[in-house]
Amino acid sequence: MNEVLVTGVNVARRFKQGDVWFDALHAATFSIRAGDRIAIVGPSGSGKSTLLQLVADLDSPSEGVLSWPGLGEPGSLRPRHIGMVFQSANLLPTLSALENVEVSLRLVGDATEPVEVARAALGKLGLDAIADKLPDELSGGQAQRVGLARAVAVKPRLVLADEPTGQLDQSTAQRTMDALLQSLAGSDAALVVATHDSAVAKRLQTIWLMDYGHLTLPKPVDAS
Ligand SMILES: Nc1ncnc2c1ncn2[C@@H]1O[C@H](COP(=O)(O)OP(=O)(O)O)[C@@H](O)[C@H]1O
Ligand SMILES: [Mg+2]
């Protein structure tokens, strides 16, 4: 079995909405291993982002225990060990595509030639021609691929993507998924994608279902 990167035991998240408490995530128990390709699928409001934010160490559980045995200690997981991709690329508007990728490499600080590594990351996603363009000169699909390049250039062991194709049309969405999978091909990084799009989910090996905050994992294959 591949190395365990993240485990969650009875992880719950409760939010106060006005005077009432709302359970956005009920006691979820799961693990994420190196090389996993997981889609978290469920309707809008079912708790997908809540779960991803917890796994990303951007939020803390109300109950239960999360740990990152294969990645490190909370507080220092992003962007070196966990790369995040969101619905919109959130690129820095005054920097070129290349500089946007370069910034994350400089933040992590272990690339000796950040410009060259950034250029290679863009090239791998077919973005050489737009390297010097500013974000507002890019199409939605191009901007999203620059966001992917930025997340994967530092070679995190876990990539979390929250509705990465949510603002794209179907064919651009499929090409963006191609790019995401291609950017991780040959690496043992794990990928977890939250999506309500079944066409996106089909591209990943494992489906986790989310429904009203209840996470259902696939039944383990009986080895006997
Ligand atoms: N910070 C918050 N405060 C209050 N309620 C929240 C907060 N974040 C999420 N929720 C609620 O938790 C539920 C799940 O939200 P979310 O995880 O964003 O779902 P999804 O990503 O599947 O669309 C929703 O009902 C949402 O309103
Ligand atoms: Mg969401």
Side-chain angles (χ1 to χ4, degrees):
M1 286 285 247
N2 290 344
E3 185 188 357
V4 174
L5 304 181
V6 187
T7 62
V9 179
N10 292 326
V11 174
R13 183 66 167 103
R14 177 172 292 176
F15 292 110
K16 192 151 197 202
Q17 294 184 342
D19 290 340
V20 292
W21 287 92
F22 176 81
D23 290 311
L25 182 67
H26 297 269
T29 295
F30 57 87
S31 57
I32 301 169
R33 291 174 181 273
D36 278 354
R37 299 283 181 269
I38 297 167
I40 305 176
V41 184
S44 182
S46 59
K48 304 181 296 296
S49 296
T50 299
L51 177 57
L52 271 195
Q53 299 271 321
L54 291 166
V55 172
D57 187 31
L58 285 163
D59 187 19
S60 303
S62 313
E63 282 168 41
V65 179
L66 260 170
S67 58
W68 293 266
L71 299 178
E73 295 302 316
S76 60
L77 296 166
R78 286 167 288 102
R80 178 189 291 272
H81 304 292
I82 299 181
M84 289 291 290
V85 180
F86 297 96
Q87 188 161 357
S88 66
N90 299 331
L91 302 177
L92 296 167
T94 57
L95 298 185
S96 69
L98 183 70
E99 289 164 338
N100 264 280
V101 178
E102 200 189 320
V103 161
S104 76
L105 287 158
R106 288 192 192 279
L107 269 177
V108 168
D110 57 8
T112 48
E113 309 251 5
V115 180
E116 294 320 308
V117 177
R119 207 175 278 288
L122 288 177
K124 202 168 172 188
L125 297 180
L127 296 167
D128 313 71
I130 57 92
D132 297 320
K133 293 199 170 178
L134 290 171
D136 70 5
E137 299 172 307
L138 304 177
S139 69
Q142 286 171 334
Q144 195 57 323
R145 277 185 285 154
V146 174
L148 299 183
R150 180 178 56 184
V152 301
V154 302
K155 299 201 182 328
R157 296 200 67 201
L158 174 61
V159 176
L160 302 175
D162 195 357
E163 306 277 4
T165 63
Q167 291 180 359
L168 307 174
D169 61 65
Q170 273 297 331
S171 74
T172 312
Q174 286 298 339
R175 274 189 280 124
T176 304
M177 279 306 291
D178 291 342
L180 182 52
L181 293 169
Q182 185 195 332
S183 69
L184 296 176
S187 95
D188 80 340
L191 171 66
V192 182
V193 180
T195 183
H196 62 264
D197 181 345
S198 58
V200 168
K202 273 193 199 127
R203 307 289 304 275
L204 302 161
Q205 276 140 17
T206 305
I207 307 277
W208 291 3
L209 292 176
M210 188 67 94
D211 193 27
Y212 292 105
H214 292 279
L215 178 67
T216 307
L217 306 188
K219 294 213 168 26
V221 179
D222 188 350
S224 63

PDB file of all heavy atoms in Angstrom, residues 176-194:
ATOM      1  N   THR A 176      -8.742  21.253 -19.170  1.00  0.00           N
ATOM      2  CA  THR A 176      -8.096  21.634 -17.909  1.00  0.00           C
ATOM      3  C   THR A 176      -7.832  20.392 -17.054  1.00  0.00           C
ATOM      4  O   THR A 176      -6.776  20.267 -16.431  1.00  0.00           O
ATOM      5  CB  THR A 176      -8.970  22.656 -17.162  1.00  0.00           C
ATOM      6  OG1 THR A 176      -9.201  23.753 -18.045  1.00  0.00           O
ATOM      7  CG2 THR A 176      -8.315  23.149 -15.885  1.00  0.00           C
ATOM      8  N   MET A 177      -8.780  19.447 -17.068  1.00  0.00           N
ATOM      9  CA  MET A 177      -8.549  18.184 -16.349  1.00  0.00           C
ATOM     10  C   MET A 177      -7.394  17.415 -16.983  1.00  0.00           C
ATOM     11  O   MET A 177      -6.568  16.830 -16.279  1.00  0.00           O
ATOM     12  CB  MET A 177      -9.817  17.318 -16.336  1.00  0.00           C
ATOM     13  CG  MET A 177     -10.832  17.713 -15.289  1.00  0.00           C
ATOM     14  SD  MET A 177     -10.143  17.771 -13.615  1.00  0.00           S
ATOM     15  CE  MET A 177      -9.825  16.040 -13.294  1.00  0.00           C
ATOM     16  N   ASP A 178      -7.338  17.408 -18.339  1.00  0.00           N
ATOM     17  CA  ASP A 178      -6.196  16.767 -19.021  1.00  0.00           C
ATOM     18  C   ASP A 178      -4.899  17.356 -18.469  1.00  0.00           C
ATOM     19  O   ASP A 178      -3.956  16.630 -18.146  1.00  0.00           O
ATOM     20  CB  ASP A 178      -6.199  17.049 -20.537  1.00  0.00           C
ATOM     21  CG  ASP A 178      -7.330  16.353 -21.267  1.00  0.00           C
ATOM     22  OD1 ASP A 178      -7.905  15.407 -20.702  1.00  0.00           O
ATOM     23  OD2 ASP A 178      -7.628  16.780 -22.401  1.00  0.00           O
ATOM     24  N   ALA A 179      -4.865  18.705 -18.398  1.00  0.00           N
ATOM     25  CA  ALA A 179      -3.647  19.398 -17.972  1.00  0.00           C
ATOM     26  C   ALA A 179      -3.297  19.034 -16.534  1.00  0.00           C
ATOM     27  O   ALA A 179      -2.130  18.790 -16.206  1.00  0.00           O
ATOM     28  CB  ALA A 179      -3.841  20.915 -18.105  1.00  0.00           C
ATOM     29  N   LEU A 180      -4.315  18.982 -15.680  1.00  0.00           N
ATOM     30  CA  LEU A 180      -4.075  18.673 -14.269  1.00  0.00           C
ATOM     31  C   LEU A 180      -3.502  17.266 -14.136  1.00  0.00           C
ATOM     32  O   LEU A 180      -2.499  17.044 -13.434  1.00  0.00           O
ATOM     33  CB  LEU A 180      -5.393  18.821 -13.504  1.00  0.00           C
ATOM     34  CG  LEU A 180      -5.387  18.595 -12.007  1.00  0.00           C
ATOM     35  CD1 LEU A 180      -4.325  19.425 -11.320  1.00  0.00           C
ATOM     36  CD2 LEU A 180      -6.756  18.938 -11.421  1.00  0.00           C
ATOM     37  N   LEU A 181      -4.127  16.303 -14.823  1.00  0.00           N
ATOM     38  CA  LEU A 181      -3.653  14.914 -14.723  1.00  0.00           C
ATOM     39  C   LEU A 181      -2.268  14.771 -15.345  1.00  0.00           C
ATOM     40  O   LEU A 181      -1.396  14.095 -14.800  1.00  0.00           O
ATOM     41  CB  LEU A 181      -4.659  13.967 -15.389  1.00  0.00           C
ATOM     42  CG  LEU A 181      -5.992  13.891 -14.633  1.00  0.00           C
ATOM     43  CD1 LEU A 181      -7.045  13.162 -15.446  1.00  0.00           C
ATOM     44  CD2 LEU A 181      -5.798  13.202 -13.280  1.00  0.00           C
ATOM     45  N   GLN A 182      -2.082  15.468 -16.476  1.00  0.00           N
ATOM     46  CA  GLN A 182      -0.783  15.401 -17.156  1.00  0.00           C
ATOM     47  C   GLN A 182       0.318  16.012 -16.279  1.00  0.00           C
ATOM     48  O   GLN A 182       1.437  15.509 -16.236  1.00  0.00           O
ATOM     49  CB  GLN A 182      -0.917  16.174 -18.467  1.00  0.00           C
ATOM     50  CG  GLN A 182       0.277  16.124 -19.382  1.00  0.00           C
ATOM     51  CD  GLN A 182       0.136  17.218 -20.439  1.00  0.00           C
ATOM     52  OE1 GLN A 182      -0.986  17.616 -20.803  1.00  0.00           O
ATOM     53  NE2 GLN A 182       1.257  17.705 -20.919  1.00  0.00           N
ATOM     54  N   SER A 183      -0.027  17.084 -15.574  1.00  0.00           N
ATOM     55  CA  SER A 183       1.002  17.748 -14.761  1.00  0.00           C
ATOM     56  C   SER A 183       1.441  16.865 -13.600  1.00  0.00           C
ATOM     57  O   SER A 183       2.511  17.067 -13.041  1.00  0.00           O
ATOM     58  CB  SER A 183       0.496  19.101 -14.253  1.00  0.00           C
ATOM     59  OG  SER A 183      -0.527  18.908 -13.310  1.00  0.00           O
ATOM     60  N   LEU A 184       0.609  15.875 -13.240  1.00  0.00           N
ATOM     61  CA  LEU A 184       0.973  14.984 -12.129  1.00  0.00           C
ATOM     62  C   LEU A 184       1.407  13.606 -12.618  1.00  0.00           C
ATOM     63  O   LEU A 184       1.765  12.744 -11.805  1.00  0.00           O
ATOM     64  CB  LEU A 184      -0.218  14.829 -11.175  1.00  0.00           C
ATOM     65  CG  LEU A 184      -0.647  16.115 -10.471  1.00  0.00           C
ATOM     66  CD1 LEU A 184      -1.888  15.880  -9.627  1.00  0.00           C
ATOM     67  CD2 LEU A 184       0.485  16.653  -9.598  1.00  0.00           C
ATOM     68  N   ALA A 185       1.363  13.387 -13.941  1.00  0.00           N
ATOM     69  CA  ALA A 185       1.719  12.074 -14.483  1.00  0.00           C
ATOM     70  C   ALA A 185       3.154  11.734 -14.096  1.00  0.00           C
ATOM     71  O   ALA A 185       4.042  12.582 -14.142  1.00  0.00           O
ATOM     72  CB  ALA A 185       1.564  12.075 -15.999  1.00  0.00           C
ATOM     73  N   GLY A 186       3.349  10.495 -13.664  1.00  0.00           N
ATOM     74  CA  GLY A 186       4.691  10.044 -13.329  1.00  0.00           C
ATOM     75  C   GLY A 186       5.140  10.476 -11.944  1.00  0.00           C
ATOM     76  O   GLY A 186       6.240  10.143 -11.516  1.00  0.00           O
ATOM     77  N   SER A 187       4.304  11.240 -11.213  1.00  0.00           N
ATOM     78  CA  SER A 187       4.679  11.601  -9.843  1.00  0.00           C
ATOM     79  C   SER A 187       3.776  10.813  -8.898  1.00  0.00           C
ATOM     80  O   SER A 187       2.712  10.347  -9.299  1.00  0.00           O
ATOM     81  CB  SER A 187       4.508  13.104  -9.604  1.00  0.00           C
ATOM     82  OG  SER A 187       3.256  13.375  -9.020  1.00  0.00           O
ATOM     83  N   ASP A 188       4.199  10.644  -7.647  1.00  0.00           N
ATOM     84  CA  ASP A 188       3.329   9.921  -6.723  1.00  0.00           C
ATOM     85  C   ASP A 188       2.518  10.888  -5.853  1.00  0.00           C
ATOM     86  O   ASP A 188       2.003  10.533  -4.818  1.00  0.00           O
ATOM     87  CB  ASP A 188       4.117   8.911  -5.886  1.00  0.00           C
ATOM     88  CG  ASP A 188       4.847   9.576  -4.724  1.00  0.00           C
ATOM     89  OD1 ASP A 188       5.056  10.804  -4.775  1.00  0.00           O
ATOM     90  OD2 ASP A 188       5.212   8.859  -3.772  1.00  0.00           O
ATOM     91  N   ALA A 189       2.393  12.131  -6.328  1.00  0.00           N
ATOM     92  CA  ALA A 189       1.544  13.094  -5.624  1.00  0.00           C
ATOM     93  C   ALA A 189       0.102  12.589  -5.637  1.00  0.00           C
ATOM     94  O   ALA A 189      -0.321  11.915  -6.571  1.00  0.00           O
ATOM     95  CB  ALA A 189       1.627  14.456  -6.303  1.00  0.00           C
ATOM     96  N   ALA A 190      -0.635  12.916  -4.576  1.00  0.00           N
ATOM     97  CA  ALA A 190      -2.061  12.605  -4.536  1.00  0.00           C
ATOM     98  C   ALA A 190      -2.836  13.821  -5.021  1.00  0.00           C
ATOM     99  O   ALA A 190      -2.396  14.956  -4.862  1.00  0.00           O
ATOM    100  CB  ALA A 190      -2.479  12.252  -3.115  1.00  0.00           C
ATOM    101  N   LEU A 191      -3.975  13.550  -5.641  1.00  0.00           N
ATOM    102  CA  LEU A 191      -4.841  14.615  -6.147  1.00  0.00           C
ATOM    103  C   LEU A 191      -6.250  14.413  -5.604  1.00  0.00           C
ATOM    104  O   LEU A 191      -6.788  13.309  -5.684  1.00  0.00           O
ATOM    105  CB  LEU A 191      -4.873  14.551  -7.688  1.00  0.00           C
ATOM    106  CG  LEU A 191      -5.895  15.452  -8.381  1.00  0.00           C
ATOM    107  CD1 LEU A 191      -5.559  16.923  -8.176  1.00  0.00           C
ATOM    108  CD2 LEU A 191      -5.951  15.135  -9.884  1.00  0.00           C
ATOM    109  N   VAL A 192      -6.820  15.468  -5.042  1.00  0.00           N
ATOM    110  CA  VAL A 192      -8.205  15.423  -4.574  1.00  0.00           C
ATOM    111  C   VAL A 192      -8.948  16.598  -5.197  1.00  0.00           C
ATOM    112  O   VAL A 192      -8.551  17.753  -5.017  1.00  0.00           O
ATOM    113  CB  VAL A 192      -8.303  15.506  -3.034  1.00  0.00           C
ATOM    114  CG1 VAL A 192      -9.759  15.400  -2.592  1.00  0.00           C
ATOM    115  CG2 VAL A 192      -7.455  14.418  -2.371  1.00  0.00           C
ATOM    116  N   VAL A 193      -9.993  16.299  -5.942  1.00  0.00           N
ATOM    117  CA  VAL A 193     -10.747  17.326  -6.670  1.00  0.00           C
ATOM    118  C   VAL A 193     -12.184  17.340  -6.159  1.00  0.00           C
ATOM    119  O   VAL A 193     -12.870  16.314  -6.217  1.00  0.00           O
ATOM    120  CB  VAL A 193     -10.769  17.029  -8.186  1.00  0.00           C
ATOM    121  CG1 VAL A 193     -11.564  18.097  -8.929  1.00  0.00           C
ATOM    122  CG2 VAL A 193      -9.359  16.928  -8.748  1.00  0.00           C
ATOM    123  N   ALA A 194     -12.649  18.481  -5.650  1.00  0.00           N
ATOM    124  CA  ALA A 194     -14.069  18.622  -5.301  1.00  0.00           C
ATOM    125  C   ALA A 194     -14.805  19.125  -6.525  1.00  0.00           C
ATOM    126  O   ALA A 194     -14.370  20.095  -7.159  1.00  0.00           O
ATOM    127  CB  ALA A 194     -14.229  19.614  -4.147  1.00  0.00           C
TER     128      ALA A 194
END
